[in-house]
Amino acid sequence: MRQELGDVVDAAELERQISRGVHDVLRHQVEAGVDIVSDGEQSKPGFQTYVAQRMTGFAGESRRRTATDFIKFPAYADMMRAKIGRRAKMTNAPQAVGDVTYHGQREALTDCDRLSRELGEIGGGHSAFMTAPSPGIIATTLLNAHYDSHERYLFTLAQEMRKEYEIIHKAGFILQVDAPDLAMERTVFFQDNSDAEFISFVEMHVDAINKATADIPPAAMRVHCCWGNREGPHVDDIPLAKILPELLQLRAETLSIELANPRHQHEYESIRAAQWPADKSLIPGVIDSTTNYVEPAQVVANRILQAVTAVGDHARVIAGVDCGFGTFAGYEMVASDVVWAKLKALREGADLAAKSL
């Protein structure tokens, strides 16, 4: 957080702490029984805002709109402000004030090298994924104060983020493109638009992801879509059924969709009704990333079985979590020891589901 604010920090000490953080989260994931692990985004102040440190053209401060939950429920907004202390920039990230150009190859390679090194120390032969934000979530968070249209800004970001996506792929990791813009932004950036207008923007944002990943095999990547990683009312969330046709146009073979929280756990029926394509796999969120309840293994298994029924093939279902447990530094809803218990429940629930299948 200090580095993000421009403070001078000890680079060697920061690297030591990041490496230790990656080692610890890998160890806990492996001990919990997770098959496909990640570095926990330990080097990043925010899952998408970090790109301002890897690109030219950003300065000043964005004025991101307030999500409708915080407008409709002011007592909820007050409670959340009181609950969350100092954190990385979320609604006030830098904005694009000039031509944006990616120069973060060294940082991206460092992330990949670190994950390889720490994974080697942990052992176990696990595969791993690494996250990078979609062009759309960058465009709707690090706002445009330079380009003549949202579309031009979006596709410029796609062209530049392609460099980071390909570094992750060439390092041998699964690329996860985090794209909450495909659902969440209905209640933030596009809150004044109709559902039909929003869906047209989703089509554009999907096209941007597809262009940016054109040289990455579909089997080597996945896209995560969610409605915002917070415990809240979510009364204005757009239904999955309305955006699913566009999500299925993504090149990625695997889609990660949150389905564990109370607002979306009924939407397996939308997946079944859409006649899930034979060339796509689903990572259903079967663990809620915003509450400290530890799901019983049987609940996890039941959710996995619902996903298998909806998709029609157990081989194309990978049990996952709704979203990250900490999407910004200082912004975590779940205690770390509860996180590891939840991941253990994920493993146990997957084993139960496998037995019944």
Side-chain angles (χ1 to χ4, degrees):
M1 287 187 277
R2 285 174 49 209
Q3 185 186 56
E4 184 184 49
L5 292 171
D7 292 353
V8 176
V9 299
D10 184 330
E13 176 59 20
L14 177 60
E15 176 56 33
R16 279 192 293 272
Q17 292 193 24
I18 292 170
S19 293
R20 186 166 64 242
V22 171
H23 185 90
D24 286 347
V25 298
L26 286 173
R27 176 175 60 82
H28 281 295
Q29 288 173 84
V30 170
E31 288 175 353
V34 176
D35 295 307
I36 308 171
V37 298
S38 83
D39 69 349
E41 300 176 320
Q42 295 295 294
S43 68
K44 301 168 182 176
F47 80 95
Q48 87 286 42
T49 54
Y50 77 91
V51 300
Q53 300 172 351
R54 300 186 184 185
M55 287 187 176
T56 60
F58 288 104
E61 200 170 77
S62 295
R63 289 287 183 265
R64 182 158 159 79
R65 299 189 70 177
T66 301
T68 56
D69 272 358
F70 296 93
I71 298 169
K72 290 187 172 182
F73 299 93
Y76 163 73
D78 290 343
M79 184 191 75
M80 290 293 286
R81 278 190 289 268
K83 182 183 293 188
I84 299 166
R86 187 176 180 222
R87 63 171 191 263
K89 294 182 178 182
M90 291 175 59
T91 59
N92 60 336
Q95 60 182 350
V97 296
D99 290 348
V100 295
T101 305
Y102 186 84
H103 60 79
Q105 288 89 342
R106 185 178 65 179
E107 290 85 353
L109 286 167
T110 297
D111 283 345
C112 293
D113 290 344
R114 185 191 304 109
L115 179 54
S116 293
R117 182 183 68 247
E118 299 300 334
L119 197 56
E121 289 189 12
I122 296 292
H126 286 67
S127 61
F129 69 95
M130 184 170 284
T131 63
S134 68
I137 195 58
I138 301 171
T140 55
T141 308
L142 286 76
L143 301 183
N144 173 32
H146 173 68
Y147 292 93
D148 58 10
S149 69
H150 174 74
E151 182 176 7
R152 187 176 170 211
Y153 180 40
L154 175 72
F155 283 96
T156 300
L157 288 168
Q159 175 182 307
E160 296 303 311
M161 284 303 296
R162 181 177 191 150
K163 300 168 186 175
E164 181 159 306
Y165 301 157
E166 292 181 356
I167 286 172
I168 293 170
H169 169 62
K170 288 174 182 176
F173 300 119
I174 299 166
L175 167 67
Q176 176 169 305
V177 178
D178 282 333
D181 50 297
L182 303 180
M184 176 182 72
E185 291 305 319
R186 177 69 186 90
T187 66
V188 190
F189 193 87
F190 298 107
Q191 63 185 251
D192 293 333
N193 296 94
S194 66
D195 283 356
E197 289 169 332
F198 175 67
I199 290 167
S200 71
F201 282 108
V202 171
E203 292 174 358
M204 186 195 302
H205 286 211
V206 165
D207 188 30
I209 294 171
N210 287 343
K211 282 183 166 59
T213 61
D215 291 334
I216 299 176
M221 58 180 288
R222 61 200 213 183
V223 174
H224 169 69
C225 172
C226 74
W227 287 264
N229 193 32
R230 66 179 185 279
E231 181 186 15
H234 286 275
V235 293
D236 293 324
D237 285 4
I238 191 165
L240 176 61
K242 290 191 175 184
I243 58 172
L244 190 54
E246 281 63 47
L247 300 185
L248 293 175
Q249 299 307 308
L250 287 158
R251 290 186 64 257
E253 180 179 291
T254 304
L255 301 184
S256 163
I257 301 174
E258 60 172 320
L259 289 161
N261 67 72
R263 197 70 200 184
H264 295 283
Q265 62 184 256
H266 64 289
E267 297 199 283
Y268 289 104
E269 177 55 31
S270 300
I271 294 171
R272 188 200 62 76
Q275 296 183 322
W276 193 261
D279 62 348
K280 292 265 192 254
S281 293
L282 173 67
I283 301 176
V286 295
I287 295 287
D288 192 331
S289 57
T290 67
T291 74
N292 287 278
Y293 283 101
V294 177
E295 291 84 350
Q298 189 61 61
V299 169
V300 174
N302 293 347
R303 290 171 175 172
I304 294 170
L305 294 173
Q306 280 186 284
V308 170
T309 299
V311 169
D313 178 5
H314 72 273
R316 292 187 288 125
V317 174
I318 303 171
V321 178
D322 267 359
C323 196
F325 285 105
T327 47
F328 295 88
Y331 184 82
E332 299 91 24
M333 299 291 102
V334 181
S336 58
D337 51 1
V338 178
V339 168
W340 314 132
K342 279 175 167 276
L343 292 184
K344 185 180 178 184
L346 176 65
R347 169 80 268 167
E348 293 171 348
D351 290 341
L352 273 181
K355 285 179 182 177
S356 67
L357 288 165

